[in-house]
């Protein structure tokens, strides 16, 4: 009798457990047309997509808010575009079309989408749209898929041995290392874009003439045009491509209104110790976000006018020997991924292979040096160098002497940069100590207008650095 009661007790407990679990998990499928899917987004949008090249993966979530399971009888791309191809991965399974996909009650699945676009046969970006279609219990729902397709001119490890022109018609996508041979000139038109694939670079032993303008600057960057995460652009990522190296016997390179960003080594220039002919001249350019140095020069004559050098893991400027002239330039470092440990600018004499010393001659006029690190090497002492800083702004405290002339010490340019918000804007704020502190006589004619077209001499005074102050509305 006792044994029988014990068995009845076990059966009762088992029935109770079955009842409890069946009340928590509804194994039946809903067939109601009112039980539809919910989506984490109504549009999956890709940024500019280079044609004939795969994209980063986007994701979305599909929700079943019903208590019962739901069966999605079909998931597929409608195929409305004959130029675009969107490929799916549904809950870990790759394919282009799926049937009978189940989602348990109050649960969800992930869908990952990639795009591959055929050539548009057009110069300008072209919008392609399609639909991701779902059919559930006879009800059709859809999510919009969109991408801007951009055709490019592909260059793979080419040597430019004759005079060549890059136009603004289409971006140039460069793989490996492109070499400009001696006696060849590469001319780049205003508005042109050069995209470098991972580890690709340019080496120039000839000449580069980049003719950007205020209205149509030239862009040199990596080929990742999408976003790192959320709204954060790949513009904040350094080390996406190699860099640009000007190597002997190069001479007479002139870059105007060029924006170069996201490289590994930045821009390098060296020559045979010639300080009479100018090897490299930068006018209203931006060299920014390098995984090492923005500009490094050795034993050559280099000029920079109205140019911004910003954000590098090492120094933003490295000058060894030769002749250096910097006018109306901004040197700033708020590099995102590490706190820079090297000075903003390193200045050295250079030792040649025969043991001789090439003394540097450097002039910094109407410049700003300000960042997360010391401004100069050798603790800012220039007694042993032929280097002169005139009307320059420094973050550190100091005093004028024979090498620092009419400088502004312990000052703040109040850049519009907000590092924590990934905003790197080195224009001057309303409270900037750089406003009106320059010497107009030290501003060359080519620096009269900044890269935004603002006139430095419009008010009778002159601001320091690469940018003319303009009023910033209060928030």
């Amino acid at each position: 009798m006792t044994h029988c009661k014990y068995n009845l007790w076990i059966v009762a407990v088992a029935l109770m457990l079955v009842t409890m679990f069946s009340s928590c998990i509804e194994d039946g499928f809903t067939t109601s047309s009112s039980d539809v899917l919910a989506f984490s987004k109504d549009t999956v949008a890709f940024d500019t997509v280079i044609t004939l090249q795969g994209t980063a993966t986007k994701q979305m979530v599909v929700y079943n808010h019903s208590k019962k399971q739901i069966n999605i009888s079909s998931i597929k791309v409608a195929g409305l575009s004959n130029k675009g191809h969107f490929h799916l991965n549904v809950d870990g399974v790759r394919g282009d079309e799926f049937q009978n996909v189940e989602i348990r009650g109050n649960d969800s699945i992930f869908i990952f989408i990639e795009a591959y676009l055929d050539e548009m046969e057009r110069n300008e970006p072209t919008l392609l749209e399609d639909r991701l279609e779902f059919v559930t219990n006879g009800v059709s729902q859809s999510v919009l898929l969109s991408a801007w397709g951009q055709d490019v001119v592909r260059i793979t490890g080419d040597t430019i041995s004759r005079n060549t022109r890059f136009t603004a018609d289409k971006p140039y996508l460069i793989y490996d290392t492109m070499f400009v041979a001696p006696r060849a000139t590469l001319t780049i038109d205003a508005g042109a874009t050069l995209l470098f694939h991972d580890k690709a670079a340019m080496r120039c032993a000839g000449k580069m003439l980049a003719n950007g303008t205020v209205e149509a600057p030239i862009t040199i960057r990596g080929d990742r045009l999408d976003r790192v995460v959320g709204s954060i652009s790949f513009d904040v990522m350094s080390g996406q491509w190699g860099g640009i190296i000007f190597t002997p016997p190069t001479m007479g390179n002139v870059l105007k209104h060029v924006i170069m960003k996201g490289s590994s080594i930045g821009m390098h220039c060296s020559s045979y110790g010639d300080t009479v002919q100018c090897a490299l001249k930068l006018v209203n350019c931006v060299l920014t976000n390098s995984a090492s140095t923005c500009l490094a020069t050795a034993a050559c004559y280099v000029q920079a006018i109205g140019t911004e050098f910003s954000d590098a893991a090492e120094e933003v400027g490295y000058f060894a020997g030769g002749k250096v002239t910097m006018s109306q330039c901004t040197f700033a470092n708020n590099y995102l991924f590490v706190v820079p440990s090297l000075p903003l600018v390193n200045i050295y004499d250079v030792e040649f292979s025969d043991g001789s010393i090439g003394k540097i001659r450097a002039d910094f006029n109407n410049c700003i040096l300000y960042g997360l690190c010391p401004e100069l090497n050798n603790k800012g002492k220039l007694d042993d160098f032929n280097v002169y800083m005139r009307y320059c702004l420094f973050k550190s405290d100091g005093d004028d002497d024979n090498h620092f002339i009419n400088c502004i010490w312990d000052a703040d340019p109040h850049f519009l940069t907000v590092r924590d918000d990934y905003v790197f804007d080195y224009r001057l704020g309303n409270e900037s100590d750089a406003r009106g502190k320059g010497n107009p006589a030290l501003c060359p004619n080519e620096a009269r207008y900044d890269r935004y077209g603002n006139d430095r001499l419009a008010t009778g005074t002159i601001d320091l650095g690469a940018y003319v102050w303009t009023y910033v509305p209060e928030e």
Side-chain angles (χ1 to χ4, degrees):
M1 186 70 174
T2 302
H3 180 71
C4 182
K5 287 182 178 180
Y6 179 73
N7 288 339
L8 289 174
W9 181 81
I10 292 176
V11 172
V13 171
L15 289 172
M16 180 177 67
L17 291 173
V18 170
T19 303
M20 288 174 60
F21 278 106
S22 63
S23 65
C24 295
I25 300 176
E26 178 60 70
D27 287 326
F29 286 88
T30 176
T31 57
S32 172
S33 59
S34 61
D35 287 332
V36 294
L37 305 171
F39 308 110
S40 60
K41 54 185 71 176
D42 56 18
T43 301
V44 176
F46 291 83
D47 297 302
T48 303
V49 175
I50 297 173
T51 56
L52 304 182
Q53 183 167 296
T55 67
T57 301
K58 301 285 186 177
Q59 73 173 41
M60 59 174 291
V61 185
V62 182
Y63 299 96
N64 172 22
H65 292 318
S66 169
K67 292 182 180 180
K68 293 186 176 183
Q69 291 191 84
I70 200 165
N71 180 70
I72 308 172
S73 55
S74 174
I75 302 175
K76 66 178 182 179
V77 178
L80 301 178
S81 172
N82 61 357
K83 291 287 187 180
H85 308 279
F86 296 91
H87 304 291
L88 309 178
N89 182 311
V90 176
D91 221 21
V93 180
R94 293 179 62 86
D96 294 325
E97 185 172 351
F98 298 82
Q99 288 84 35
N100 299 319
V101 177
E102 299 176 2
I103 309 178
R104 298 185 71 87
N106 294 313
D107 205 348
S108 61
I109 60 170
F110 283 92
I111 295 183
F112 300 92
I113 305 105
E114 296 175 349
Y116 182 90
L117 306 186
D118 295 332
E119 287 189 333
M120 302 290 106
E121 299 175 356
R122 299 179 66 178
N123 290 338
E124 65 275 8
T126 303
L127 178 63
L128 294 178
E129 293 183 327
D130 213 317
R131 289 199 309 268
L132 181 55
E133 297 181 334
F134 301 82
V135 179
T136 310
N137 296 333
V139 178
S140 297
Q141 297 174 268
S142 65
V143 171
L144 179 66
L145 304 175
S146 69
W148 287 91
Q150 174 66 67
D151 287 344
V152 297
V153 178
R154 285 175 164 79
I155 298 175
T156 304
D158 285 10
T159 294
I160 296 175
S161 57
R162 63 183 65 184
N163 293 346
T164 302
R165 179 180 297 276
F166 283 3
T167 70
D169 293 341
K170 297 178 184 177
Y172 293 81
L173 178 55
I174 295 142
Y175 299 90
D176 302 320
T177 296
M178 183 176 72
F179 177 57
V180 182
R183 295 181 294 279
T185 297
L186 172 62
T187 301
I188 306 175
D189 289 351
T193 298
L194 277 63
L195 305 174
F196 286 80
H197 197 58
D198 182 33
K199 297 181 178 59
M202 180 190 295
R203 190 163 65 92
C204 179
K207 182 189 296 185
M208 182 193 300
L209 301 177
N211 302 312
T213 64
V214 172
E215 298 80 10
I218 292 166
T219 300
I220 302 176
R221 56 164 298 162
D223 65 349
R224 293 296 302 270
L225 305 179
D226 50 326
R227 301 186 183 277
V228 181
V229 63
S231 61
I232 301 174
S233 168
F234 260 93
D235 286 344
V236 305
M237 301 294 291
S238 64
Q240 296 181 54
W241 59 287
I244 298 177
I245 301 172
F246 295 98
T247 185
T250 190
M251 200 63 66
N253 301 284
V254 180
L255 282 64
K256 298 180 179 180
H257 288 275
V258 171
I259 302 171
M260 173 178 158
K261 54 190 173 183
S263 68
S264 293
I265 64 169
M267 185 177 291
H268 288 209
C269 185
S270 61
S271 72
Y272 297 122
D274 188 341
T275 58
V276 176
Q277 301 181 79
C278 185
L280 175 64
K281 184 176 184 178
L282 305 171
V283 181
N284 287 341
C285 293
V286 176
L287 275 58
T288 188
N289 202 14
S290 167
S292 58
T293 303
C294 292
L295 175 65
T297 67
C300 63
Y301 178 18
V302 59
Q303 299 181 63
I305 298 169
T307 291
E308 172 194 321
F309 304 93
S310 61
D311 303 330
E314 298 177 3
E315 59 272 277
V316 297
Y318 178 96
F319 306 107
K323 182 179 178 180
V324 176
T325 303
M326 300 281 140
S327 303
Q328 300 292 158
C329 291
T330 293
F331 298 85
N333 205 352
N334 287 281
Y335 188 69
L336 186 61
F337 302 104
V338 297
V339 176
S341 59
L342 296 179
L344 271 172
V345 175
N346 268 323
I347 301 174
Y348 298 99
D349 297 329
V350 65
E351 182 176 354
F352 295 111
S353 57
D354 61 2
S356 62
I357 301 298
K359 302 289 287 186
I360 188 168
R361 168 60 196 250
D363 296 278
F364 289 71
N365 299 323
N366 292 344
C367 293
I368 295 174
L369 293 86
Y370 190 95
L372 298 175
C373 49
E375 292 93 337
L376 298 168
N377 60 305
N378 200 32
K379 297 183 179 180
K381 301 296 183 181
L382 298 178
D383 298 340
D384 298 329
F385 297 101
N386 197 11
V387 176
Y388 300 91
M389 303 273 175
R390 301 179 183 88
Y391 293 86
C392 292
L393 181 149
F394 297 95
K395 180 179 181 180
S396 60
D397 194 9
D399 297 297
D400 286 353
D401 58 22
N402 291 333
H403 295 270
F404 296 92
I405 302 158
N406 294 316
C407 290
I408 297 88
W409 301 94
D410 190 20
D412 190 341
H414 287 279
F415 294 135
L416 302 183
T417 293
V418 184
R419 185 171 183 263
D420 290 343
D421 294 338
Y422 309 109
V423 175
F424 299 92
D425 186 341
Y426 291 100
R427 289 176 292 176
L428 306 177
N430 294 337
E431 304 301 320
S432 176
D433 294 328
R435 291 175 54 191
K437 299 296 178 60
N439 183 346
L442 297 175
C443 178
N445 290 334
E446 286 180 286
R448 174 164 182 172
Y449 298 94
D450 71 9
R451 76 179 183 92
Y452 292 101
N454 299 310
D455 188 351
R456 297 187 194 277
L457 303 179
T459 63
T461 62
I462 193 165
D463 302 329
L464 302 180
Y467 303 111
V468 177
W469 170 78
T470 57
Y471 177 72
V472 182
E474 302 293 338
E475 293 185 357

